Amino acid sequence: MQLKIENIHKSFGSGDSRTEVLKGISCTVDSGSICVLLGPSGSGKSTLLNIIGGIETADEGSISIGDDKIEGMSEKKLSLYRRKHLGYVFQAYNLVPDLTVKENIEVGAYLSDNPMNIDEILNLLGLWDHRNKMPNQLSGGQQQRTSIGRAVIKRPDILLCDEPTGALDYQTSKDILKLIEEVNRTCGNTVVMVTHNDALKHMADRVIRLRDGAVRSNKINEAKVAAADLDW
Amino acid sequence: MRNPLYKRLPRELKKNIGKYLAMFLFLTVTIGFCSGYFIATGSLSERLASNYEQFKTEDGHFTLTAAIDDKIKDVFEKNDADVYELFYKDKTLANENVIRLYRPRKNVDLSEIYSGEMPQNDDEIVIDRLYARNNDITIGDKIKIEDTEFKVTGFFVVPDYTSLYKSNTDFMFDALTFSIAIVTDEGFDHLSDSGLKYNYAWMYRNRNLSENEKHEKSEDIVNQLSDEIEKNVTEYKEELFKAIVSGTASYDIKEPSVLTEYLPSESNSAINMATEDVGGDKIMVMWLLYITIAVIALATAITTKSTIEQEAAVIGTLRASGFKRSELVSHYLIIPLIETLLAAVCGNVIGYTFMNSFCASMYYGSYSFPLYQPNINAEAFLLTTLVPAGLVLLINFLMLTKLIALPPLQFLRRELKKNKKTRTVSLPFGGFTSRFRIRIILKNLQAYLVLIIGVFFANILLLFSFIWNPLLDNFRNVILDNQISEYQYLLKTPTETETDGAEKFAVYSLKNPKGEDITVYGISKDSGYVRNADFSDGKIYYSSAYADKYGTQTGDTVIFTEKFGNKEYRLNVDGIYDYPASLCVFMGIDEFRSRFDTDDDYFSGYFTNEKITDIDDMYIASVIAKSDLTSSADQLENSVGFVKLFVVFAIAVYILMIYILAKMITERNSRSISVLKILGYKNGEISSLYNFSTGIVVLIAMFISLPIISWLIRYVYYAMMLEYNGWMSFFIDPVIYPQIIAIGCGCFLAAYLLEMGRVRKIPMNEAIKDME
């Protein structure tokens, strides 16, 4: 499903301490594509991701996924919007500590009327052998795989990834990126990934660069490479 | 699909089994006790209520100085009431105990055999079950009354003596030295008439009158009776005068019957005390239950809040993924709710199986109730299941909805406080350790506030259970130190004695503005017994008990009325006489004779330190000895024995609260504890930093709460005592305070040791893990 971002403004603070973090961001992400949001710290990329995710509100502008606009939605409707359209992957995994790998993924499945088959997901993520382990028995990469499984099992239209490899080593990061790519190919979700790792732009269909709350560049990546071939 | 988060619940239970088990057991025992209590009191109340119809409880009784005449009977007839003879004879046994003997009852206040059988022969007797228990009397034993040895054939109960009040003006019932008894008609007649009372009970023909209607009728009756008796007395005086003037003999002129007691059942403590006590205690137990549940619910809410703080990022992720607030609220609500419901079910099972008998036995130790039969009680279920569950649900729901209402982003950023920038409190004083501990207290202020509430509640229970014995001992000592004389003899008619040191006094009974019976003493000139009081110029002194109860001060004036009439007496307060035993007023005997219009040589009895042996028993109405003055304290001591159970309960509250909250604080700070370990701190040092802070709070809570609770209990005590006849001064033995502090410290130490173990178990890599 297509993601449309129109004239998003966002400020924090008030009076003299007011800081405008997003200054009229507009862009479109095509259905089923991978979009990488790049930018230095404080550029506003995470804030934009949060606004797309409906967990932060924009002061101005609108976000649309297909025919659904989140502008003016109540908290209840926002929950349903997130439930229906979005999958979230965070840098810190945020798994439920008392649930096994399989159960953590079931948490995502619970949110959908038509979830994917959990065994297939476990196999896809390479977690079949670890399905009955608790999060504290897993490596960082395995935890992130689980969190991706939790996000994609409900067939979200858009998968939002906030620095998904930020806490991982090089090889594990590559494994996770391969997985995101595979999920995108297999499930057809639109992926929006926030990162400060410039190398990731090569695996994207679209690369949007932010600086000081504004879009510095918004390009289609004509020379897309597979995640496996990334290097940094 | 079932919410997979529910799969966490058994693991959460297993992980914190100690906490949940302790809370579950505590709730189960509390609910079990309360459920048993409500079943017992509900069953007893139902049984007592059925007495009115089933055992024909009187609507009132009255006592005359002679047998009833037709004119008095007519008064009741006019008021649609039947009057029944209920004569009794008070007999003093060799051990100074008093037995009140009745004939078998046929029409009113019917008796029910508790065990054994009713007397068949002239030398057989049934007595009160409680008195028998208190005096180790069993069926088959013999009781000597006058010259007859009566064989005890059974124990019985009657609806007009569910509590054994010898006199309605007594401060407390007395099942230790007083009993009622039934003997056969022949057995009754065979005994001498000393102590015989012409007592009559009445019953309204319409047994469905409301309490108000009964009250109005009884007011009408007493007014009509007073008029009738006054007429009789006037006629008698006129006849007597005529006889004296005409010089004819006056022996044939019958002395009129005078009313000495008139007691509608609504004012009869022997009938109502038990019912009121059962009802009054029920409210207390209900509050005990709800405060306990509220404290537990608060502790649960605080620990849940701590869990949510620890799981903030997970919750943020779930919310960002589309989990609704309600789904998360219900997830965190489910364990406390299920735990409470399960405890309620188990508690009710305990309540129905054996706790109700245990609770009933507490009342059977004070009152003469009929045989106990537990009934199914819907109210008990409501009070001990639905209300506690509702309370836990409400408190946790309010906390959770407020917390979970925060936006997902705040959870993701772990910013769960309203004010993101908490102002740092500057601590320029003290060493590192002190400042560290203060910081821990400030950081966990909410948890410590709940702990303070718990300590406050536990201390209420401790103080309440500890005050009684010293208070009653103090009362006994004060009474004995200030008693007027060893014996007070009340005579039926003025009779002279040669007993050494016996001093005449006059006595009259009046009602004070609150309707309480007050004894007015007329004291002889230069009294050797009531010293330190100057009765010249008609001066009047009030007993210290009266002043204490009603706040009366020198210079006040109190308007008293006659017990059975409307005549008013304005009595000034010229001084307070140190006499804590009873509510009374002292004046000179001449002032007394003049105010109450008696003969110039009138007197009612003697103060004496020696027993009077030269006055026949038939002229003696009653004797007040040491044991009579202290009997109320003895009985009360016997009745409040069960409050000692509160100590166990309070200790459980103490340990549970300290344990749960200290555990929560340790877990919340596990990362910091881990860091301290990495830095080289020993387990003992870490424990002393974190757990000692809890100890400081416990101590502060104790020192703050004890004076407040003392004031509160004093206030409640005074309010409670105002409802009773008589007075017992309030007293808290200072020794109680260190005892309570010692218990608090002991409980803290127990929890401290448990927490030390927990600190020891926190691994050093905890800090590293979290930062991955």
Side-chain angles (χ1 to χ4, degrees):
Chain A
M1 224 172 253
Q2 192 187 54
L3 169 69
K4 205 169 174 186
I5 300 161
E6 287 176 286
N7 193 31
I8 295 291
H9 285 264
K10 179 71 182 175
S11 303
F12 292 112
S14 58
D16 291 343
S17 62
R18 185 182 165 89
T19 312
E20 196 171 12
V21 181
L22 297 175
K23 301 166 181 169
I25 306 274
S26 294
C27 57
T28 303
V29 180
D30 294 332
S31 178
S33 65
I34 296 176
C35 173
V36 168
L37 278 173
L38 280 169
S41 295
S43 60
K45 55 188 190 300
S46 284
T47 305
L48 181 61
L49 193 81
N50 290 338
I51 290 172
I52 297 168
I55 58 175
E56 194 147 9
T57 51
D59 298 337
E60 205 184 318
S62 71
I63 303 284
S64 323
I65 297 176
D67 295 330
D68 284 343
K69 258 192 180 182
I70 66 168
E71 201 182 346
M73 270 188 190
S74 66
E75 179 54 41
K76 201 172 177 180
K77 281 192 174 162
L78 272 174
S79 278
L80 291 173
Y81 158 84
R82 291 194 291 262
R83 202 171 181 127
K84 185 175 162 192
H85 295 299
L86 302 179
Y88 247 114
V89 176
F90 292 98
Q91 178 182 336
Y93 333 128
N94 298 340
L95 298 177
V96 183
D98 303 324
L99 294 181
T100 62
V101 167
K102 190 178 176 185
E103 287 159 354
N104 261 290
I105 295 172
E106 279 174 349
V107 168
Y110 167 76
L111 297 168
S112 172
D113 295 334
N114 180 27
M116 293 169 72
N117 183 294
I118 190 149
D119 292 345
E120 280 178 24
I121 287 281
L122 284 167
N123 279 317
L124 179 71
L125 300 170
L127 290 170
W128 178 257
D129 293 338
H130 306 289
R131 65 188 183 282
N132 293 322
K133 286 184 181 169
M134 290 291 176
N136 62 2
Q137 296 171 301
L138 301 174
S139 68
Q142 286 163 340
Q143 287 191 59
Q144 192 60 296
R145 279 163 192 268
T146 310
S147 101
I148 290 170
R150 179 177 63 188
V152 299
I153 194 166
K154 64 175 186 168
R155 300 183 196 273
D157 298 317
I158 300 188
L159 182 64
L160 301 173
C161 307
D162 192 357
E163 301 275 11
T165 58
L168 302 174
D169 59 49
Y170 172 78
Q171 192 51 51
T172 315
S173 294
K174 272 185 80 170
D175 289 346
I176 291 297
L177 292 170
K178 280 196 282 184
L179 190 64
I180 290 172
E181 188 181 63
E182 197 175 345
V183 163
N184 167 255
R185 192 169 51 241
T186 319
C187 309
N189 329 96
T190 306
V191 177
V192 179
M193 185 158 50
V194 163
T195 180
H196 59 263
N197 185 347
D198 207 54
L200 267 57
K201 67 185 179 192
H202 300 298
M203 68 176 280
D205 295 301
R206 180 179 290 277
V207 181
I208 299 170
R209 275 183 196 279
L210 298 182
R211 193 188 298 157
D212 297 331
V215 176
R216 290 295 159 210
S217 68
N218 179 357
K219 290 178 186 168
I220 292 174
N221 182 16
E222 303 288 355
K224 185 179 173 184
V225 297
D229 298 330
L230 292 177
D231 197 12
W232 63 87
Chain B
M1 185 181 180
R2 214 170 122 246
N3 188 341
L5 288 178
Y6 291 151
K7 290 182 182 168
R8 294 182 76 193
L9 304 179
R11 288 171 199 147
E12 163 66 16
L13 280 174
K14 195 177 161 193
K15 195 168 115 189
N16 290 303
I17 189 73
K19 178 180 93 176
Y20 289 116
L21 199 64
M23 280 163 84
F24 172 74
L25 287 175
F26 185 71
L27 277 174
T28 304
V29 172
T30 308
I31 291 174
F33 172 77
C34 294
S35 163
Y37 180 84
F38 292 138
I39 294 162
T41 53
S43 308
L44 287 172
S45 296
E46 271 180 44
R47 191 70 211 278
L48 289 173
S50 73
N51 270 353
Y52 188 68
E53 276 305 315
Q54 200 180 347
F55 295 95
K56 298 188 175 174
T57 309
E58 64 183 38
D59 286 311
H61 70 254
F62 60 96
T63 310
L64 300 168
T65 50
I68 195 166
D69 59 34
D70 290 343
K71 286 177 186 169
I72 293 177
K73 268 187 190 164
D74 283 347
V75 169
F76 286 92
E77 185 65 36
K78 274 185 223 159
N79 285 281
D80 282 332
D82 292 316
V83 176
Y84 299 100
E85 205 178 85
L86 210 60
F87 291 179
Y88 63 79
K89 291 175 181 174
D90 277 351
K91 298 291 177 189
T92 305
L93 306 183
N95 60 2
E96 301 282 320
N97 289 355
V98 173
I99 301 276
R100 181 164 293 172
L101 293 138
Y102 286 90
R103 296 173 187 277
R105 295 162 171 215
K106 296 182 181 82
N107 301 305
V108 66
D109 295 327
L110 303 182
S111 55
E112 183 188 7
I113 274 290
Y114 192 91
S115 58
E117 55 184 28
M118 288 300 279
Q120 304 295 327
N121 301 313
D122 300 354
D123 60 349
E124 289 180 347
I125 190 170
V126 282
I127 59 169
D128 180 81
R129 173 195 62 82
L130 191 56
Y131 171 82
R133 196 193 78 168
N134 289 339
N135 289 278
D136 295 325
I137 298 170
T138 53
I139 294 173
D141 285 357
K142 300 248 168 138
I143 296 176
K144 191 175 180 188
I145 301 172
E146 292 181 342
D147 297 329
T148 311
E149 287 226 322
F150 286 91
K151 182 185 168 194
V152 177
T153 58
F155 306 131
F156 78 114
V157 288
V158 280
D160 54 327
Y161 280 101
T162 48
S163 37
L164 289 171
Y165 274 90
K166 197 174 357 177
S167 160
N168 200 51
T169 55
D170 288 350
F171 171 68
M172 187 47 64
F173 52 86
D174 176 13
L176 300 171
T177 65
F178 171 69
S179 175
I180 51 166
I182 289 179
V183 290
T184 59
D185 285 324
E186 294 75 15
F188 189 84
D189 293 335
H190 180 75
L191 291 163
S192 76
D193 281 350
S194 83
L196 172 67
K197 296 280 178 189
Y198 296 95
N199 184 54
Y200 297 88
W202 80 83
M203 281 202 300
Y204 300 118
R205 285 173 194 142
N206 179 0
R207 297 291 275 167
N208 297 317
L209 293 178
S210 68
E211 289 305 312
N212 264 348
E213 287 169 329
K214 283 186 203 169
H215 176 74
E216 280 170 19
K217 263 184 178 291
S218 72
E219 290 285 303
D220 290 345
I221 292 174
V222 75
N223 289 334
Q224 291 166 26
L225 273 180
S226 300
D227 292 347
E228 203 55 57
I229 287 167
E230 207 173 312
K231 253 192 264 169
N232 285 353
V233 171
T234 312
E235 279 172 18
Y236 166 73
K237 280 181 178 171
E238 281 171 6
E239 277 186 51
L240 198 64
F241 181 72
K242 275 184 207 162
I244 291 167
V245 169
S246 63
T248 55
S250 61
Y251 306 115
D252 297 335
I253 302 169
K254 200 179 159 196
E255 212 172 300
S257 192
V258 173
L259 193 63
T260 55
E261 186 177 41
Y262 179 83
L263 194 60
S265 60
E266 61 181 3
S267 311
N268 189 344
S269 301
I271 293 177
N272 300 316
M273 174 69 181
T275 313
E276 283 166 11
D277 192 24
V278 168
D281 287 354
K282 186 178 159 188
I283 292 166
M284 191 180 79
V285 171
M286 215 160 77
W287 275 105
L288 176 79
L289 172 67
Y290 296 154
I291 292 173
T292 308
I293 300 285
V295 169
I296 294 284
L298 274 175
T300 315
I302 289 288
T303 50
T304 307
K305 190 181 172 202
S306 168
T307 308
I308 287 173
E309 282 167 3
Q310 285 171 48
E311 295 179 351
V314 178
I315 293 167
T317 305
L318 294 177
R319 290 276 291 120
S321 306
F323 263 82
K324 291 183 222 160
R325 283 175 189 162
S326 56
E327 285 167 331
L328 291 171
V329 167
S330 64
H331 170 66
Y332 284 103
L333 206 55
I334 204 154
I335 288 189
L337 192 61
I338 287 178
E339 187 180 40
T340 312
L341 283 171
L342 206 62
V345 170
C346 296
N348 270 288
V349 170
I350 293 172
Y352 271 100
T353 47
F354 61 87
M355 196 56 96
N356 73 83
S357 309
F358 170 75
C359 292
S361 70
M362 294 190 310
Y363 284 104
Y364 276 74
S366 295
Y367 300 111
S368 300
F369 284 137
L371 275 169
Y372 177 66
Q373 287 169 326
N375 299 332
I376 287 180
N377 190 332
E379 195 193 8
F381 175 75
L382 178 82
L383 294 176
T384 60
T385 307
L386 298 187
V387 177
L391 209 55
V392 168
L393 191 70
L394 181 73
I395 290 175
N396 281 277
F397 181 78
L398 288 176
M399 184 280 296
L400 281 167
T401 42
K402 194 179 163 210
L403 199 59
I404 300 282
L406 294 171
L409 200 60
Q410 270 186 255
F411 279 101
L412 286 165
R413 289 174 181 162
R414 298 173 187 269
E415 290 169 355
L416 302 189
K417 293 214 169 100
K418 270 192 179 170
N419 301 322
K420 288 179 202 169
K421 287 174 190 168
T422 319
R423 189 183 291 169
T424 311
V425 179
S426 171
L427 298 173
F429 51 86
F432 162 74
T433 318
S434 308
R435 280 183 282 125
F436 196 107
R437 286 174 183 150
I438 293 170
R439 294 259 178 246
I440 290 166
I441 292 170
L442 292 173
K443 190 181 163 194
N444 299 288
L445 212 52
Q446 269 188 341
Y448 283 129
L449 278 175
V450 174
L451 180 63
I452 289 170
I453 294 171
V455 170
F456 194 89
F457 176 55
N459 280 351
I460 289 180
L461 295 173
L462 283 176
L463 199 61
F464 189 72
S465 50
F466 281 163
I467 58 165
W468 287 105
N469 282 349
L471 187 146
L472 295 171
D473 284 343
N474 176 66
F475 179 69
R476 280 191 207 96
N477 293 338
V478 168
I479 276 185
L480 296 178
D481 288 349
N482 294 283
Q483 67 174 335
I484 296 174
S485 57
E486 293 286 325
Y487 303 98
Q488 288 182 38
Y489 281 81
L490 276 171
L491 304 174
K492 287 179 181 170
T493 182
T495 313
E496 295 295 334
T497 178
E498 297 297 323
T499 309
D500 231 15
E503 179 183 299
K504 288 174 185 169
F505 67 86
V507 75
Y508 199 68
S509 200
L510 293 176
K511 269 197 296 193
N512 77 350
K514 296 274 178 191
E516 187 165 3
D517 287 354
I518 306 297
T519 309
V520 181
Y521 282 99
I523 305 296
S524 295
K525 261 183 201 166
D526 304 321
S527 170
Y529 294 98
V530 181
R531 293 182 288 265
N532 309 321
D534 171 18
F535 295 117
S536 61
D537 304 326
K539 282 191 183 128
I540 297 169
Y541 287 76
Y542 282 59
S543 69
S544 52
Y546 192 99
D548 206 6
K549 181 168 185 177
Y550 291 107
T552 314
Q553 292 174 339
T554 305
D556 291 350
T557 300
V558 183
I559 301 169
F560 294 88
T561 48
E562 276 193 320
K563 246 176 117 177
F564 308 114
N566 299 319
K567 193 173 175 187
E568 287 186 351
Y569 295 88
R570 296 173 71 88
L571 304 182
N572 296 334
V573 186
D574 297 312
I576 306 297
Y577 188 77
D578 198 7
Y579 187 56
S582 78
L583 305 178
C584 50
V585 173
F586 300 96
M587 60 178 72
I589 198 160
D590 292 336
E591 178 70 16
F592 179 97
R593 288 166 182 158
S594 137
R595 279 192 182 259
F596 297 108
D597 196 21
T598 63
D599 294 341
D600 290 346
D601 56 352
Y602 175 80
F603 68 98
S604 322
Y606 289 99
F607 294 130
T608 170
N609 289 332
E610 305 289 329
K611 275 194 172 179
I612 293 178
T613 50
D614 57 354
I615 296 179
D616 197 297
D617 277 357
M618 65 183 291
Y619 298 116
I620 296 171
S622 64
V623 183
I624 300 171
K626 253 185 201 177
S627 60
D628 297 293
L629 295 174
T630 58
S631 64
S632 51
D634 298 338
Q635 179 60 58
L636 202 57
E637 190 165 42
N638 194 31
S639 298
V640 298
F642 77 95
V643 297
K644 282 171 191 157
L645 274 178
F646 286 2
V647 178
V648 181
F649 196 71
I651 290 172
V653 172
Y654 251 116
I655 293 182
L656 191 71
M657 294 305 290
I658 297 171
Y659 169 72
I660 289 174
L661 296 167
K663 177 178 183 293
M664 188 202 85
I665 288 159
T666 308
E667 284 172 355
R668 190 189 259 181
N669 294 287
S670 59
R671 214 169 86 179
S672 309
I673 291 171
S674 175
V675 171
L676 288 176
K677 283 189 177 181
I678 292 168
L679 292 175
Y681 277 75
K682 291 178 203 155
N683 288 325
E685 288 169 331
I686 297 170
S687 202
S688 88
L689 282 174
Y690 282 90
N691 297 328
F692 209 75
S693 308
T694 306
I696 292 168
V697 174
V698 171
L699 267 178
I700 291 172
M702 279 196 291
F703 282 110
I704 293 173
S705 65
L706 283 174
I708 298 172
I709 295 166
S710 301
W711 177 86
L712 200 71
I713 288 189
R714 178 189 291 266
Y715 180 81
V716 171
Y717 179 87
Y718 271 70
M720 200 172 78
M721 282 295 152
L722 279 175
E723 300 296 316
Y724 282 81
N725 290 325
W727 186 248
M728 198 179 274
S729 325
F730 186 71
F731 172 74
I732 293 187
D733 190 345
V735 175
I736 290 172
Y737 296 115
Q739 281 175 350
I740 291 176
I741 290 169
I743 287 178
C745 291
C747 294
F748 166 70
L749 270 179
Y752 185 89
L753 292 175
L754 284 171
E755 280 315 293
M756 254 189 94
R758 198 181 311 283
V759 166
R760 201 175 296 128
K761 279 183 195 162
I762 292 175
M764 277 198 238
N765 61 6
E766 179 86 11
I768 303 158
K769 251 197 226 169
D770 272 7
M771 284 187 273
E772 262 178 7

